[in-house]
Coordinates of all heavy atoms in Angstrom, one line a residue:
T60 N 7.2 -21.3 -21.2 CA 7.7 -22.1 -22.4 C 9.2 -22.0 -22.5 O 9.7 -20.8 -22.5 CB 7.0 -21.5 -23.7 OG1 5.7 -21.6 -23.6 CG2 7.6 -22.3 -24.9
D61 N 9.9 -23.1 -22.5 CA 11.3 -23.2 -22.5 C 11.8 -23.0 -23.9 O 11.4 -23.8 -24.8 CB 11.8 -24.5 -21.9 CG 13.3 -24.6 -21.8 OD1 14.0 -23.7 -22.3 OD2 13.8 -25.5 -21.1
N62 N 12.5 -22.0 -24.3 CA 13.1 -21.8 -25.6 C 14.3 -22.5 -25.9 O 14.9 -22.3 -27.0 CB 13.2 -20.2 -25.8 CG 11.9 -19.5 -25.8 OD1 10.8 -19.9 -26.2 ND2 11.9 -18.4 -25.2
S63 N 14.8 -23.2 -24.9 CA 16.1 -24.1 -25.1 C 17.3 -23.2 -25.3 O 18.3 -23.7 -25.9 CB 16.0 -25.1 -26.2 OG 14.8 -26.0 -25.9
D64 N 17.3 -21.9 -25.0 CA 18.5 -21.0 -25.1 C 18.7 -20.3 -23.8 O 19.4 -19.3 -23.9 CB 18.3 -20.1 -26.3 CG 17.1 -19.1 -26.2 OD1 16.3 -19.3 -25.2 OD2 16.9 -18.3 -27.1
G65 N 18.0 -20.7 -22.7 CA 18.2 -20.0 -21.4 C 17.0 -19.0 -21.2 O 16.8 -18.6 -20.2
S66 N 16.3 -18.7 -22.3 CA 15.1 -17.8 -22.1 C 13.8 -18.6 -22.0 O 13.7 -19.7 -22.6 CB 15.0 -16.8 -23.2 OG 14.7 -17.5 -24.4
H67 N 12.8 -18.1 -21.2 CA 11.5 -18.8 -21.0 C 10.5 -17.7 -21.1 O 10.4 -16.7 -20.3 CB 11.5 -19.4 -19.6 CG 12.5 -20.5 -19.4 ND1 13.9 -20.1 -19.1 CD2 12.4 -21.9 -19.3 CE1 14.6 -21.3 -19.0 NE2 13.7 -22.3 -19.1
N68 N 9.7 -17.9 -22.1 CA 8.5 -17.0 -22.3 C 7.4 -17.3 -21.4 O 7.1 -18.6 -21.2 CB 7.9 -17.1 -23.7 CG 8.9 -16.6 -24.8 OD1 9.7 -15.7 -24.5 ND2 8.7 -17.1 -26.0
T69 N 6.9 -16.4 -20.7 CA 5.8 -16.6 -19.6 C 4.6 -15.7 -19.9 O 4.8 -14.6 -20.0 CB 6.5 -16.3 -18.2 OG1 7.7 -17.0 -18.1 CG2 5.5 -16.7 -17.1
V70 N 3.5 -16.4 -19.9 CA 2.2 -15.6 -20.1 C 1.3 -16.0 -19.0 O 1.3 -17.2 -18.5 CB 1.6 -15.9 -21.4 CG1 2.5 -15.4 -22.6 CG2 1.3 -17.3 -21.6
Y71 N 0.4 -15.1 -18.7 CA -0.6 -15.4 -17.6 C -1.9 -14.5 -18.0 O -1.8 -13.5 -18.7 CB -0.1 -15.0 -16.3 CG 0.1 -13.6 -16.0 CD1 -0.9 -12.7 -15.7 CD2 1.4 -13.0 -16.2 CE1 -0.6 -11.3 -15.4 CE2 1.7 -11.7 -16.1 CZ 0.7 -10.9 -15.7 OH 0.9 -9.5 -15.5
S72 N -2.9 -14.9 -17.4 CA -4.3 -14.2 -17.5 C -5.0 -14.4 -16.2 O -5.3 -15.5 -15.8 CB -5.0 -14.6 -18.7 OG -6.3 -13.8 -18.8
V73 N -5.3 -13.3 -15.5 CA -6.0 -13.3 -14.3 C -7.3 -12.5 -14.3 O -7.2 -11.4 -14.7 CB -5.1 -12.8 -13.1 CG1 -5.8 -12.8 -11.8 CG2 -3.8 -13.6 -12.9
T74 N -8.4 -13.1 -13.9 CA -9.7 -12.4 -14.0 C -10.1 -11.8 -12.7 O -11.0 -10.8 -12.7 CB -10.8 -13.3 -14.5 OG1 -10.9 -14.5 -13.6 CG2 -10.5 -13.8 -15.9
R75 N -9.5 -12.1 -11.5 CA -9.9 -11.5 -10.2 C -8.9 -10.4 -10.0 O -7.7 -10.6 -10.0 CB -9.9 -12.6 -9.1 CG -10.2 -11.9 -7.8 CD -10.5 -12.9 -6.8 NE -10.8 -12.3 -5.5 CZ -11.3 -12.9 -4.4 NH1 -11.7 -14.1 -4.5 NH2 -11.5 -12.2 -3.3
A76 N -9.4 -9.2 -9.8 CA -8.6 -8.0 -9.5 C -8.0 -8.1 -8.2 O -8.6 -8.7 -7.3 CB -9.4 -6.7 -9.8
G77 N -7.0 -7.3 -8.0 CA -6.3 -7.3 -6.6 C -4.8 -7.3 -6.8 O -4.3 -7.3 -7.9
V78 N -4.1 -7.3 -5.6 CA -2.7 -7.4 -5.6 C -2.2 -8.8 -5.4 O -2.6 -9.5 -4.5 CB -2.1 -6.5 -4.6 CG1 -0.6 -6.6 -4.4 CG2 -2.4 -5.0 -4.8
Y79 N -1.3 -9.4 -6.3 CA -0.8 -10.6 -6.1 C 0.7 -10.7 -5.8 O 1.4 -9.8 -6.3 CB -1.1 -11.4 -7.5 CG -2.6 -11.8 -7.9 CD1 -3.4 -10.8 -8.3 CD2 -3.1 -13.0 -7.6 CE1 -4.7 -11.0 -8.5 CE2 -4.4 -13.3 -7.9 CZ -5.2 -12.3 -8.4 OH -6.5 -12.6 -8.6
R80 N 1.1 -11.7 -5.0 CA 2.5 -11.8 -4.9 C 3.0 -12.9 -5.9 O 2.4 -14.0 -6.1 CB 2.6 -12.5 -3.5 CG 4.2 -12.9 -3.2 CD 4.2 -13.5 -1.8 NE 5.5 -14.3 -1.6 CZ 6.6 -13.9 -0.9 NH1 6.4 -12.7 -0.3 NH2 7.5 -14.7 -0.8
L81 N 3.8 -12.5 -6.9 CA 4.3 -13.2 -8.0 C 5.6 -13.9 -7.7 O 6.6 -13.1 -7.4 CB 4.3 -12.3 -9.2 CG 5.0 -12.9 -10.5 CD1 4.4 -14.3 -10.9 CD2 5.0 -11.9 -11.5
E82 N 5.6 -15.2 -7.6 CA 7.0 -15.9 -7.4 C 7.4 -16.6 -8.6 O 6.6 -17.3 -9.3 CB 6.7 -16.8 -6.2 CG 6.4 -16.3 -4.8 CD 6.2 -17.4 -3.8 OE1 6.2 -18.5 -4.1 OE2 6.0 -16.9 -2.6
I83 N 8.7 -16.4 -8.9 CA 9.3 -17.2 -10.0 C 10.2 -18.1 -9.3 O 11.1 -17.8 -8.6 CB 10.0 -16.3 -11.0 CG1 9.0 -15.3 -11.7 CG2 10.8 -17.1 -12.1 CD1 9.7 -14.2 -12.5
R84 N 10.0 -19.4 -9.6 CA 10.8 -20.4 -8.9 C 11.6 -21.3 -9.9 O 11.1 -21.6 -11.0 CB 9.9 -21.4 -8.1 CG 9.3 -20.7 -6.8 CD 8.5 -21.6 -5.9 NE 8.1 -21.0 -4.7 CZ 9.0 -20.9 -3.6 NH1 10.2 -21.4 -3.6 NH2 8.5 -20.2 -2.5
F85 N 12.8 -21.5 -9.6 CA 13.7 -22.4 -10.3 C 13.7 -23.7 -9.4 O 14.4 -23.8 -8.4 CB 15.1 -21.8 -10.4 CG 15.1 -20.7 -11.3 CD1 14.6 -19.4 -10.9 CD2 15.7 -20.8 -12.6 CE1 14.7 -18.3 -11.8 CE2 15.6 -19.7 -13.5 CZ 15.2 -18.4 -13.0
G86 N 13.0 -24.7 -9.8 CA 12.8 -25.8 -8.9 C 11.9 -25.4 -7.7 O 10.9 -24.9 -7.9
S87 N 12.6 -25.5 -6.6 CA 11.8 -25.1 -5.4 C 12.4 -23.8 -4.8 O 11.9 -23.3 -3.7 CB 12.0 -26.2 -4.2 OG 13.4 -26.4 -3.9
E88 N 13.4 -23.2 -5.5 CA 14.0 -21.9 -5.0 C 13.5 -20.7 -5.7 O 13.3 -20.7 -6.9 CB 15.6 -22.1 -5.3 CG 16.2 -23.1 -4.6 CD 16.2 -23.1 -3.1 OE1 16.3 -21.9 -2.5 OE2 16.1 -24.1 -2.4
L89 N 13.2 -19.7 -4.9 CA 12.9 -18.4 -5.6 C 14.0 -17.8 -6.4 O 15.2 -18.0 -6.0 CB 12.6 -17.3 -4.4 CG 11.2 -17.4 -3.8 CD1 11.0 -16.4 -2.7 CD2 10.1 -17.1 -4.9
G90 N 13.6 -17.2 -7.5 CA 14.7 -16.6 -8.3 C 14.2 -15.4 -9.1 O 13.1 -15.0 -9.0
A91 N 15.1 -15.0 -9.9 CA 14.8 -13.8 -10.9 C 14.3 -12.6 -10.2 O 13.5 -11.8 -10.7 CB 13.7 -14.2 -11.9
G92 N 14.9 -12.4 -9.0 CA 14.5 -11.2 -8.2 C 13.2 -11.2 -7.6 O 12.7 -10.2 -7.0
S93 N 12.4 -12.3 -7.6 CA 11.1 -12.3 -7.1 C 11.2 -12.6 -5.6 O 12.2 -13.1 -5.1 CB 10.3 -13.5 -7.7 OG 10.7 -14.7 -7.4
P94 N 10.1 -12.3 -4.8 CA 8.7 -12.0 -5.3 C 8.5 -10.6 -5.8 O 9.2 -9.7 -5.3 CB 7.8 -12.4 -4.2 CG 8.7 -12.0 -2.9 CD 10.1 -12.4 -3.3
F95 N 7.6 -10.4 -6.8 CA 7.1 -9.1 -7.2 C 5.7 -9.0 -6.7 O 5.0 -10.0 -6.5 CB 7.2 -9.1 -8.8 CG 8.5 -9.3 -9.3 CD1 8.9 -10.5 -9.8 CD2 9.5 -8.2 -9.4 CE1 10.2 -10.8 -10.5 CE2 10.7 -8.4 -9.9 CZ 11.1 -9.7 -10.5
F96 N 5.2 -7.8 -6.7 CA 3.8 -7.6 -6.3 C 3.2 -7.0 -7.6 O 3.4 -6.0 -8.0 CB 3.7 -6.6 -5.1 CG 4.1 -7.2 -3.8 CD1 5.4 -7.1 -3.3 CD2 3.2 -8.1 -3.2 CE1 5.7 -7.7 -2.1 CE2 3.5 -8.7 -2.0 CZ 4.9 -8.5 -1.5
L97 N 2.2 -7.8 -8.0 CA 1.5 -7.6 -9.3 C 0.2 -7.0 -9.0 O -0.7 -7.7 -8.4 CB 1.3 -9.0 -10.1 CG 0.5 -8.9 -11.3 CD1 1.0 -8.0 -12.4 CD2 0.3 -10.4 -11.9
D98 N -0.1 -5.8 -9.5 CA -1.4 -5.1 -9.2 C -2.3 -5.4 -10.5 O -2.0 -4.9 -11.5 CB -1.2 -3.6 -9.1 CG -2.4 -2.9 -8.6 OD1 -3.5 -3.5 -8.4 OD2 -2.3 -1.7 -8.5
V99 N -3.3 -6.2 -10.3 CA -4.3 -6.5 -11.3 C -5.4 -5.5 -11.2 O -6.3 -5.6 -10.3 CB -4.7 -7.9 -11.3 CG1 -5.7 -8.2 -12.4 CG2 -3.5 -8.8 -11.4
K100 N -5.6 -4.6 -12.1 CA -6.7 -3.6 -12.1 C -8.0 -4.3 -12.7 O -7.9 -5.3 -13.3 CB -6.4 -2.4 -13.0 CG -5.0 -1.7 -12.5 CD -5.2 -0.9 -11.3 CE -3.9 0.0 -11.0 NZ -4.1 0.6 -9.7
T101 N -9.0 -3.7 -12.4 CA -10.3 -4.1 -12.9 C -10.2 -3.8 -14.5 O -9.7 -2.8 -14.9 CB -11.5 -3.4 -12.4 OG1 -11.2 -2.1 -12.2 CG2 -11.8 -4.1 -10.9
S102 N -11.0 -4.5 -15.2 CA -11.2 -4.2 -16.7 C -12.3 -3.1 -16.8 O -12.7 -2.5 -15.7 CB -11.7 -5.3 -17.5 OG -12.8 -5.9 -17.1
A103 N -12.7 -2.7 -18.0 CA -13.6 -1.6 -18.2 C -14.9 -2.0 -17.4 O -15.3 -3.1 -17.3 CB -13.8 -1.4 -19.6
A104 N -15.6 -0.9 -17.0 CA -16.8 -1.1 -16.3 C -17.8 -1.8 -17.3 O -18.0 -1.4 -18.4 CB -17.4 0.2 -15.9
D105 N -18.7 -2.7 -16.7 CA -19.7 -3.3 -17.5 C -21.0 -2.9 -16.8 O -21.4 -3.5 -15.8 CB -19.5 -4.9 -17.5 CG -20.6 -5.6 -18.3 OD1 -21.6 -5.0 -18.6 OD2 -20.3 -6.8 -18.7
E106 N -21.8 -2.0 -17.5 CA -22.9 -1.4 -16.9 C -24.0 -2.5 -16.5 O -24.8 -2.4 -15.7 CB -23.5 -0.5 -17.7 CG -22.7 0.8 -17.9 CD -21.6 0.7 -18.8 OE1 -21.5 -0.3 -19.6 OE2 -20.7 1.6 -18.9
S107 N -24.0 -3.7 -17.3 CA -25.0 -4.7 -17.1 C -24.7 -5.4 -15.9 O -25.6 -6.2 -15.4 CB -24.9 -5.7 -18.3 OG -23.8 -6.4 -18.4
K108 N -23.5 -5.3 -15.2 CA -23.3 -6.0 -14.0 C -23.5 -5.2 -12.8 O -23.4 -5.7 -11.6 CB -21.7 -6.5 -14.0 CG -21.4 -7.4 -15.2 CD -22.0 -8.8 -15.0 CE -21.4 -9.7 -16.1 NZ -22.0 -11.1 -15.9
T109 N -23.7 -3.9 -13.0 CA -24.0 -2.9 -11.8 C -25.4 -3.3 -11.1 O -26.3 -3.5 -11.8 CB -23.8 -1.5 -12.3 OG1 -22.5 -1.3 -12.8 CG2 -24.1 -0.5 -11.2
Y110 N -25.4 -3.0 -9.8 CA -26.6 -3.3 -9.1 C -26.8 -2.2 -8.0 O -25.8 -1.5 -7.7 CB -26.8 -4.6 -8.6 CG -25.6 -5.0 -7.6 CD1 -25.8 -5.0 -6.2 CD2 -24.4 -5.5 -8.0 CE1 -24.8 -5.2 -5.3 CE2 -23.5 -5.9 -7.1 CZ -23.6 -5.7 -5.8 OH -22.6 -6.1 -4.9
I111 N -28.0 -2.1 -7.4 CA -28.2 -1.2 -6.4 C -29.0 -1.9 -5.3 O -29.8 -2.7 -5.4 CB -29.0 0.0 -6.9 CG1 -29.2 1.1 -5.9 CG2 -30.3 -0.5 -7.5 CD1 -29.9 2.3 -6.4
Y112 N -28.6 -1.4 -4.0 CA -29.3 -1.9 -2.8 C -29.6 -0.7 -1.9 O -28.9 0.3 -2.0 CB -28.6 -3.0 -2.1 CG -27.2 -2.7 -1.6 CD1 -27.0 -2.4 -0.4 CD2 -26.1 -2.9 -2.5 CE1 -25.6 -2.2 0.1 CE2 -24.8 -2.6 -2.1 CZ -24.6 -2.2 -0.8 OH -23.3 -2.0 -0.3
G113 N -30.5 -0.9 -1.0 CA -30.8 0.2 0.0 C -32.3 0.3 0.2 O -33.0 -0.6 0.1
A114 N -32.7 1.6 0.4 CA -34.1 1.9 0.6 C -34.9 1.9 -0.7 O -35.1 2.9 -1.3 CB -34.3 3.2 1.3
M115 N -35.3 0.7 -1.2 CA -36.1 0.6 -2.4 C -37.5 0.7 -2.2 O -38.3 1.1 -3.0 CB -35.7 -0.7 -3.1 CG -34.2 -0.8 -3.5 SD -33.7 0.4 -4.8 CE -32.8 1.5 -3.8

Side-chain angles (χ1 to χ4, degrees):
T60 302
D61 188 345
N62 295 321
S63 301
D64 62 358
S66 68
H67 299 75
N68 294 335
T69 307
V70 296
Y71 65 85
S72 181
V73 177
T74 57
R75 178 165 178 166
V78 176
Y79 289 79
R80 177 184 162 105
L81 168 57
E82 297 180 352
I83 298 171
R84 290 188 174 271
F85 293 76
S87 61
E88 300 295 325
L89 278 175
S93 69
F95 303 99
F96 287 98
L97 171 63
D98 188 3
V99 178
K100 304 288 189 180
T101 44
S102 63
D105 184 342
E106 293 80 10
S107 70
K108 301 288 187 182
T109 298
Y110 60 94
I111 184 172
Y112 59 96
M115 299 293 106

